[in-house]
Amino acid sequence: LGSIRRHLLERLQRLYASQLREFARLEQLKQTYLDRTEEVRNEISAQLLGFEIRSCHPLNLGSLAEIPQGFAWVFRGDHWSAFGKALVKTVSDRPLASLGWLLVVAGLLAGRRWIREALVQCGADVGTISKDRFSNTLRAIVWTTLFAAPLPVLIGFAYWVTLHAPETSDWMVGLTSGLWRATYIASCAAVTLAVCQAGGLAAVHFRWSDRVLISLRKSVRRLMIVYLPAIVLTFICLMGESVEYFDSVGMFSILLAHVWAIFVLWSPLRAAERTPQSTVHSQPGLQRTVRRVASAALLISLIALSVVACQGYLMTAIQLSQGLVWTAARIFGGVLLYYLALRWFTIKQRRLMLAEALEKRRARLEDAEQGEQEDQSSEIVSVDSADEQGMDLEVISDQLRNLLRLL
């Protein structure tokens, strides 16, 4: 029995050793396969995001004829019922996280009026030298962020629900990808609208003109009404079996977004060019040139993206369109940082001017007191009647009161 047991153990050890070698070989093959897959994916992505390979057919009558069928597939009832089931399933599986999301959204929406009042209150002391502080602007930034938060948080909650959906259909995967991109685009738009609110950060703290703020708010609202749904629809048609409608619904959505952006931005840009000559000539020449070049570049970029999409390079147009949004967001963020720095320097300058004015007032008071003492001493030494008649203390007192009232 001992020899048989020893023999079985030796066979078992040899079997384990061979199995370990086989597992190591399979793990190596798996890693090689994953690396090769990643290389192929990167190569295909690089070609699709350039102008080497078309991601779909160019725009034609056949693509236009498939648009109704594509929209019928996108808005099919079973797809949205799957989204509803995913919502119920996610809430039941993650009750605390779901409750946190819902409480944040409800709190931001319910306290929106109070947040706006707090934002306006932060600008009440702006311009008053003795009360104006840079902390007022910092508090205004916090309230502006809270005022802009509801829409991005709501879209982010929808993204979170689809991310944890139990059923991962092609439609659901595309919706998840579209909601992820819609979340950060909505964040940029909501922050822009909150900054440009009447009585808000840009109007009170940065002293932007009402005409510019109204134009920005109107343009961003109109743009996001079409651009956000178009981005989501485009990415829904990008996964699995939905690729069948990528060159119809996807192309139509991205073209609609760009054409609508051209239409929305054309009016304010033309209005800026029709600014009265007195206002235009008051601006530096470099500023006018930069504004015109930037406006022309923006419109040309949107037109070029539409042409690229029509030629079948739809993935390239989508990525460049998102890059354009990110570029605009970074430029706007840079402008805000510039005005924040400008406001800090302005407050410091006002502080220095106030200190200088107080020092001058103190010097004037000392000179006035010294002059009064000299007059009193000369009155004691010399009792000339002419000097007595020439000295009027009431006039000096009135002058001091006027000086203090002015300062």
Side-chain angles (χ1 to χ4, degrees), residues 40-323:
V40 172
R41 182 183 292 112
N42 293 334
E43 184 178 356
I44 294 176
S45 299
Q47 293 179 356
L48 286 177
L49 298 181
F51 296 95
E52 297 182 7
I53 299 178
R54 286 185 171 90
S55 55
C56 63
H57 297 291
L59 182 64
N60 51 55
L61 295 179
S63 300
L64 297 178
E66 292 178 356
I67 290 177
Q69 182 181 356
F71 274 106
W73 181 86
V74 169
F75 294 100
R76 208 166 62 187
D78 58 342
H79 290 156
W80 295 102
S81 63
F83 176 77
K85 293 178 182 178
L87 176 61
V88 175
K89 182 67 174 175
T90 303
V91 171
S92 61
D93 292 344
R94 298 171 174 82
L96 293 180
S98 302
L99 182 62
W101 276 100
L102 295 177
L103 287 178
V104 169
V105 174
L108 291 173
L109 292 176
R112 193 169 177 81
R113 181 178 179 181
W114 180 74
I115 292 173
R116 179 175 175 79
E117 291 177 355
L119 176 61
V120 174
Q121 185 63 32
C122 290
D125 296 332
V126 173
T128 305
I129 300 178
S130 59
K131 297 181 179 180
D132 196 1
R133 300 287 188 278
F134 190 70
S135 59
N136 296 331
T137 303
L138 297 179
R139 288 190 291 112
I141 292 175
V142 175
W143 293 120
T144 300
T145 304
L146 294 176
F147 190 78
L151 179 61
V153 172
L154 187 60
I155 299 177
F157 174 68
Y159 163 73
W160 181 73
V161 168
T162 57
L163 187 64
H164 296 90
E167 299 180 4
T168 56
S169 62
D170 296 332
W171 184 89
M172 190 68 72
V173 172
L175 180 63
T176 303
S177 182
L179 288 175
W180 166 244
R181 285 156 178 84
T183 299
Y184 69 76
I185 295 175
S187 301
C188 298
V191 169
T192 303
L193 290 175
V195 168
C196 297
Q197 282 294 320
L201 189 64
V204 177
H205 297 261
F206 298 158
R207 303 292 185 180
W208 291 9
S209 66
D210 293 336
R211 182 179 63 84
V212 172
L213 295 177
I214 293 173
S215 177
L216 276 174
R217 291 199 302 266
K218 186 183 298 184
S219 299
V220 172
R221 285 197 188 101
R222 290 178 177 178
L223 186 61
M224 289 300 107
I225 288 174
V226 174
Y227 194 85
L228 284 178
I231 285 294
V232 176
L233 285 174
T234 302
F235 278 91
I236 286 177
C237 300
L238 194 58
M239 303 294 175
E241 63 176 2
S242 59
V243 177
E244 178 183 355
Y245 306 106
F246 185 58
D247 56 352
S248 57
V249 176
M251 183 178 295
F252 173 79
S253 300
I254 203 69
L255 283 177
L256 178 63
H258 291 154
V259 172
W260 178 252
I262 295 171
F263 173 77
V264 168
L265 297 176
W266 177 261
S267 298
L269 292 179
R270 291 296 300 169
E273 291 297 328
R274 292 195 298 267
T275 305
Q277 293 297 321
S278 58
T279 305
V280 173
H281 290 315
S282 63
Q283 300 176 353
L286 181 60
Q287 181 179 351
R288 295 198 306 270
T289 303
V290 170
R291 187 191 64 188
R292 291 173 180 174
V293 171
S295 302
L298 179 59
L299 292 177
I300 292 173
S301 299
L302 292 172
I303 295 172
L305 288 176
S306 302
V307 174
V308 167
C310 290
Q311 294 299 317
Y313 301 101
L314 192 53
M315 285 297 300
T316 302
I318 293 172
Q319 296 298 325
L320 291 178
S321 179
Q322 295 181 75

